Amino acid sequence: MTDYQTILVEQRGAVTLLTLNRPQALNALNSEVLKELITAFAAYDSDEGQRCLVLTGSEKAFAAGADIKEMQAQGFADMYASNFFGGWERVTDTRKPWFAAVAGYALGGGCEVAMMADFILAADTARFGQPEIKLGVTPGMGGSQRLTHAVGKAKAMEMCLTGRMIGAEEAERAGLVARVVPAAELLNEAMKTAETIAGMAPLAAIANKEMVNAAFEQGLAQGIRFERRLFHGLFGSEDQKEGMAAFVEKRPGNWTGR
Ligand code: CO8
């Protein structure tokens, strides 16, 4: 297995558990973390035995943002020439399901990475915010777009303009997180949820993910057409035959991913 410095990767059955591991910097995201995440996500996506991935951090911080110390001295030309942090698209291009299990701080880039996930499962200790304005900058990893899609203009604007953090309950009410669980239960709940997803027909999981994401990328009529085409397409799969036969025969489906 690849030797990672800033993340921990563990396979638990069909679930990949990926833990951000820079405790000295509250899991701040630097170029090394991004490079390792790209490798780990690509390995997950191409491993047929892995069916769901959980991205998590520590009790204190999912991630306290992009690494300010790495960015501090850079100028426009440095950022633009290196397309700094442009590689995150390689994480969001992951086709198979993955979600974020967030405890503690998810700030700036940390909040943005959590929002890249298919959904967020939050501990009651989770705190979300886009405090970049306090550093004289803005979100830069999709936060202004994804946060606004998730919580609407009023709350997104208030959070971006003031840097105010919101707690897990407020985040759930606002639609930012799927579910809040007690902090002590976060990992158990995340594994249970991941195992549920891992137990589903793999092609259907990818198709469900693609069509829900389409709702953010295209208009309603186009999205509905896309959904119908994918739905039709699954009738060319063995797992559709198996899933429907299993229902009629009152037994669990036995998936091949074909
Ligand atoms: N970057 C680098 N180091 C950090 C970061 C960070 N984002 N956050 C925390 N650390 C470090 C601290 O410097 C400290 O290190 P040291 O012990 O060497 O001084 C260590 O982690 C522990 O942090 P604190 O002592 O500050 O811990 P506290 O419990 O007192 O405070 C907070 C916790 C409130 C989370 C505080 O650390 C904080 O405010 N952190 C910064 C939060 C922030 O501003 N995040 C946004 C960063 S900018 C960003 O994410 C932009 C993303 C877009 C990039 C796109 C590029 C194209």
Side-chain angles (χ1 to χ4, degrees):
M1 193 165 260
T2 319
D3 192 16
Y4 296 110
Q5 304 301 312
T6 65
I7 59 175
L8 304 171
V9 182
E10 194 190 325
Q11 292 187 347
R12 297 189 180 181
V15 176
T16 299
L17 179 63
L18 205 167
T19 308
L20 298 167
N21 187 34
R22 293 188 72 214
Q24 73 286 5
L26 299 184
N27 292 332
L29 307 160
N30 62 13
S31 301
E32 184 64 20
V33 177
L34 173 57
K35 202 171 92 195
E36 295 191 351
L37 285 178
I38 289 171
T39 305
F41 271 90
Y44 159 65
D45 223 17
S46 63
D47 184 340
E48 283 208 14
Q50 295 300 290
R51 301 272 173 89
C52 190
L53 180 148
V54 178
L55 177 66
T56 195
S58 69
E59 257 174 52
K60 179 162 180 190
F62 175 74
D67 192 317
I68 299 167
K69 294 164 189 166
E70 185 182 33
M71 295 185 291
Q72 186 181 6
Q74 300 207 40
F76 167 75
D78 306 312
M79 294 299 245
Y80 192 54
S82 69
N83 191 21
F84 185 73
F85 270 15
W88 285 104
E89 265 75 39
R90 293 171 61 189
V91 172
T92 56
D93 280 348
T94 303
R95 297 190 73 214
K96 294 200 297 198
W98 67 280
F99 66 90
V102 175
Y105 296 112
L107 299 178
C111 186
E112 294 176 288
V113 170
M115 291 190 293
M116 288 176 196
D118 296 334
F119 61 89
I120 300 171
L121 185 68
D124 50 12
T125 56
R127 305 187 74 190
F128 300 88
Q130 297 291 161
E132 289 92 338
I133 195 163
K134 297 184 188 170
L135 301 166
V137 290
T138 64
M141 288 156 54
S144 61
Q145 308 304 298
R146 291 197 177 92
L147 185 64
T148 308
H149 274 294
V151 306
K153 177 180 166 183
K155 200 174 277 289
M157 196 67 98
E158 190 220 359
M159 287 173 69
C160 289
L161 287 177
T162 65
R164 180 173 77 87
M165 290 186 223
I166 62 173
E169 300 299 336
E170 185 174 353
E172 186 182 28
R173 274 201 310 278
L176 180 60
V177 312
R179 199 150 54 88
V180 180
V181 300
E185 295 298 317
L186 181 66
L187 202 56
N188 274 347
E189 281 297 326
M191 285 306 299
K192 264 201 264 173
T193 305
E195 278 155 14
T196 299
I197 295 169
M200 299 298 175
L203 290 180
I206 293 175
N208 274 277
K209 172 170 168 162
E210 264 195 299
M211 63 178 70
V212 173
N213 280 336
F216 292 93
E217 288 154 11
Q218 47 200 30
L220 181 61
Q222 247 186 324
I224 287 173
R225 205 171 307 120
F226 179 69
E227 178 193 81
R228 188 167 310 132
R229 289 295 166 256
L230 266 180
F231 182 84
H232 291 161
L234 286 172
F235 283 71
S237 73
E238 288 171 13
D239 280 349
Q240 173 270 327
K241 300 283 172 291
E242 166 63 10
M244 293 194 177
F247 175 81
V248 171
E249 292 159 21
K250 300 187 189 301
R251 59 173 177 81
N254 183 18
W255 312 119
T256 60
R258 291 289 178 264

